[in-house]
Amino acid sequence: MKQQLGRTLARYQRTFATFTTGQKAMAVLGTAALLLAGFMVFKWAATPSMAPLYSNLSSADASAVIDQLETSGVPYELGGGGGTVMVPRDLVYSTRIDLSGEGLPTSSDDGYSLLDSQGLSTSQFQEQTDFKRAMEGELSRTIEAIDDVETAVVHLALPPQQVFADEQDPATASVLVATRPGTTLGADQVQAVVHLVASSIDGLDPTKVTVADSTGLVLSAPDGSAAAASSTRTQQTEAMQDQLHGQLQSMLDRVVGVGNSTVQVTTDLDFDQSVVETTDFSVDDDTPPLSASSSSETYTGPDATTQVGGVVGPDGQMDTTASGGDASSYVKEQSAEDNAVDSTVERRETSPGSIRSMHVSVVLDTATTKQISPTDIQDLVAAGVGINRKRGDTVQVTSLPFDRTAELAAAEELKAAAAANTKAEQTTLYRNIGLGVLVVLMLLLAWITGRKRAKARDKATTYVVEQLRQESSARTSALEMPPAALALEQAEHDQTLELREELNSLVERQPEDVAALLRGWLVERP
């Protein structure tokens, strides 16, 4: 086995010695690359697959967990800025069980787990405090489950219960959220946080929840804040203006061409909320009355001015000369009906966000829109966005020359960049073609050289084989020699074998030189 290995190594050594300098370099580099690739594959296969053991750990918990892992001899890796500890995937659950037995991590014992340690000796104050801390921890975990929220801190203010409801102070809450880098919470996410907190606490009004981010920006405040309300109104106004601007610009681009017009829309939105109640009463004449009554009175008799016994004079004397009047009479009739009255109560509530006024300005490029009438464009814009002159809407269309300097400069830069890109692609193509041709030439040259060497090796080998055949025939004839001659012949045979090995090695190393030498011997032979 050892001799076979030695012969194999010697053969490889002789083969390597026949290589040219370039072939030797390629062989060395290829062998090194194969060894490096094998080492990397072995290292990758030997490295265990890691999985998170705990995430979002505090510094104290991470330090305690790492100390315990080092004591147990469990390999680990840190990630997530030091807050995530990873261990081999097949050891995750067993390691968690072992760490839980050691009481790690400690700061994770929040939420409702705080209530597990309460006993009969727990005071009412401690009980209320633990309940508040448990709710804060559970709400923090719930809010952190929202996308883009990295951490959340919740503080609750829960006043003690009062005997009378009118003396009860309202509960309030504050939430501080830290988002992932490059992200912000949208209005819908802020409302989700507010309603999650309000729905989790008994008697907590959503308007009593304050939400702020890590930059100090108030996202939601009790009863609304000026900053939050202003931000919301600004967003609604900008959204309305962007929508109208997009519609008008798209329409004008189809009419006058892209880049030949510019539109500016300004809207004044009404954010006041009002409620109007109207009650209308009506009677149907065809409906019979619910009840009806009538009365008639007739009177006939003397004049009411007749006085019996005369009229009392200024001196108290009775004037008996008064005369009676004509007889009097009258007729009095009354009627009353109770009819059914229909009543209609209408309640209208206007939502904020309606358009109070709108102002649109359009500028057309004089150089490209000479044949287009500004009046037609004005009518088209007014009909497109619903201009109402009664509420003060205005539309202004003007033709002015556009400044195309920036566009021309950008076009030149794009053209130059395209030309440079094309040139770079051509250069890369030519370089690749040149490299391909060079590689093909090198391979062709190596094939031609190898073919020449193979031919020379065949010629040299043929000559050597012929010589060996002659020696073999001579050795066969020498078998009939005496023993002394046979011993001498055996020694010469061993020497011939050594020379043959040296000759084979020389042929493999320098086939052309050996062939040339043999040809010279053949020529010089008489």
Side-chain angles (χ1 to χ4, degrees):
M1 183 66 182
K2 184 177 182 181
Q3 295 178 355
Q4 184 178 1
L5 181 61
R7 286 195 299 268
T8 302
L9 293 177
R11 186 170 63 254
Y12 288 158
Q13 184 177 5
R14 289 193 299 269
T15 303
F16 181 76
T18 60
F19 289 170
T20 62
T21 304
Q23 291 176 341
K24 291 180 179 180
M26 293 297 296
V28 172
L29 292 178
T31 304
L34 289 176
L35 292 176
L36 181 60
F39 173 75
M40 296 299 295
V41 171
F42 176 76
K43 183 178 180 181
W44 172 77
T47 302
S49 177
M50 309 298 284
L53 179 65
Y54 294 111
S55 300
N56 298 325
L57 290 176
S58 62
S59 300
D61 284 341
S63 177
V65 169
I66 290 173
D67 291 341
Q68 188 63 31
L69 292 178
E70 290 178 349
T71 304
S72 303
V74 178
Y76 66 90
E77 292 180 1
L78 293 178
T84 301
V85 180
M86 295 185 294
V87 298
R89 188 176 299 275
D90 55 343
L91 299 178
V92 171
Y93 300 107
S94 59
T95 305
R96 285 181 182 173
I97 294 173
D98 295 339
L99 293 176
S100 299
E102 299 294 334
L104 295 176
T106 56
S107 60
S108 62
D109 294 334
D110 54 2
Y112 290 129
S113 59
L114 292 173
L115 305 178
D116 297 337
S117 59
Q118 292 184 354
L120 297 176
S121 60
T122 303
S123 62
Q124 183 180 4
F125 175 77
Q126 183 66 31
E127 181 180 354
Q128 294 177 353
T129 303
D130 290 344
F131 174 76
K132 188 170 74 70
R133 290 177 58 194
M135 292 301 300
E136 291 174 349
E138 291 295 330
L139 288 174
S140 298
R141 291 180 179 179
T142 304
I143 296 173
E144 289 174 357
I146 299 177
D147 293 341
D148 299 332
V149 176
E150 187 172 10
T151 58
V153 179
V154 180
H155 295 289
L156 301 176
L158 304 178
Q161 296 291 333
Q162 300 293 334
V163 178
F164 300 101
D166 55 354
E167 297 180 358
Q168 179 66 41
D169 295 331
T172 59
S174 61
V175 182
L176 178 65
V177 293
T179 59
R180 292 181 175 85
T183 60
T184 56
L185 291 182
D188 296 339
Q189 292 175 312
V190 174
Q191 291 300 316
V193 171
V194 170
H195 289 286
L196 279 174
V197 175
S199 301
S200 302
I201 305 301
D202 185 19
L204 179 58
D205 192 350
T207 60
K208 301 298 182 181
V209 179
T210 302
V211 181
D213 60 9
S214 57
T215 61
L217 179 63
V218 177
L219 305 178
S220 177
D223 300 328
S225 63
S230 177
S231 177
T232 303
R233 294 178 180 179
T234 302
Q235 292 177 359
Q236 293 183 3
T237 303
E238 291 178 352
M240 176 64 71
Q241 294 178 168
D242 292 341
Q243 180 182 0
L244 296 175
H245 177 272
Q247 295 176 355
L248 290 177
Q249 191 64 59
S250 177
M251 179 182 63
L252 292 176
D253 289 343
R254 298 281 294 181
V255 175
V256 300
V258 179
N260 297 326
S261 64
T262 179
V263 180
Q264 183 65 38
V265 180
T266 302
T267 57
D268 182 14
L269 302 183
D270 186 7
F271 292 98
D272 296 336
Q273 186 176 3
S274 60
V275 178
V276 178
E277 291 187 359
T278 304
T279 303
D280 294 334
F281 298 96
S282 61
V283 178
D284 189 1
D285 296 335
D286 296 335
T287 302
L290 299 177
S291 62
S293 62
S294 61
S295 62
S296 177
E297 181 180 356
T298 303
Y299 177 78
T300 302
D303 187 4
T305 59
T306 303
Q307 301 291 338
V308 179
V311 180
V312 180
D315 55 356
Q317 298 294 327
M318 180 67 70
D319 185 4
T320 61
T321 62
S323 62
D326 297 335
S328 62
S329 64
Y330 69 91
V331 177
K332 179 181 179 183
E333 295 180 355
Q334 291 182 345
S335 64
E337 292 181 354
D338 295 334
N339 295 313
V341 179
D342 296 333
S343 63
T344 303
V345 179
E346 183 180 3
R347 186 177 186 272
R348 293 184 178 182
E349 182 176 353
T350 59
S351 300
S354 61
I355 298 177
R356 183 179 295 169
S357 63
M358 183 191 311
H359 308 280
V360 182
S361 62
V362 179
V363 181
L364 304 177
D365 187 9
T366 306
T368 56
T369 59
K370 294 181 180 179
Q371 304 300 327
I372 299 177
S373 174
T375 304
D376 295 339
I377 298 297
Q378 182 172 349
D379 296 339
L380 186 63
V381 170
V385 297
I387 295 297
N388 189 354
R389 303 288 183 179
K390 294 181 180 181
R391 67 184 180 190
D393 298 350
T394 59
V395 178
Q396 182 68 32
V397 180
T398 308
S399 296
L400 295 174
F402 280 16
D403 184 8
R404 305 283 185 174
T405 304
E407 295 181 6
L408 294 177
E412 292 294 334
E413 292 180 358
L414 291 175
K415 185 177 179 180
N421 189 20
T422 303
K423 185 177 180 180
E425 291 179 355
Q426 292 178 354
T427 303
T428 303
L429 179 61
Y430 294 155
R431 183 188 62 187
N432 294 336
I433 293 176
L435 291 175
V437 172
L438 181 60
V439 170
V440 171
L441 291 177
M442 292 179 64
L443 293 175
L444 182 60
L445 181 61
W447 180 77
I448 294 174
T449 304
R451 189 174 180 82
K452 289 182 178 180
R453 290 183 178 179
K455 290 181 179 180
R457 188 182 299 110
D458 292 340
K459 291 181 180 180
T461 304
T462 303
Y463 177 78
V464 172
V465 169
E466 184 65 25
Q467 294 295 325
L468 293 176
R469 186 180 297 113
Q470 294 176 2
E471 292 178 1
S472 177
S473 60
R475 190 182 307 109
T476 303
S477 61
L479 290 175
E480 299 175 357
M481 295 180 178
L486 290 175
L488 180 60
E489 184 67 21
Q490 183 65 31
E492 292 178 354
H493 177 67
D494 294 340
Q495 186 177 3
T496 302
L497 291 177
E498 294 179 359
L499 291 175
R500 183 185 302 172
E501 292 181 358
E502 293 180 359
L503 182 60
N504 290 334
S505 176
L506 181 61
V507 169
E508 292 180 356
R509 291 197 306 269
Q510 300 176 352
E512 296 179 356
D513 297 340
V514 173
L517 180 61
L518 293 176
R519 284 195 297 270
W521 289 349
L522 292 175
V523 172
E524 294 176 358
R525 180 176 299 179

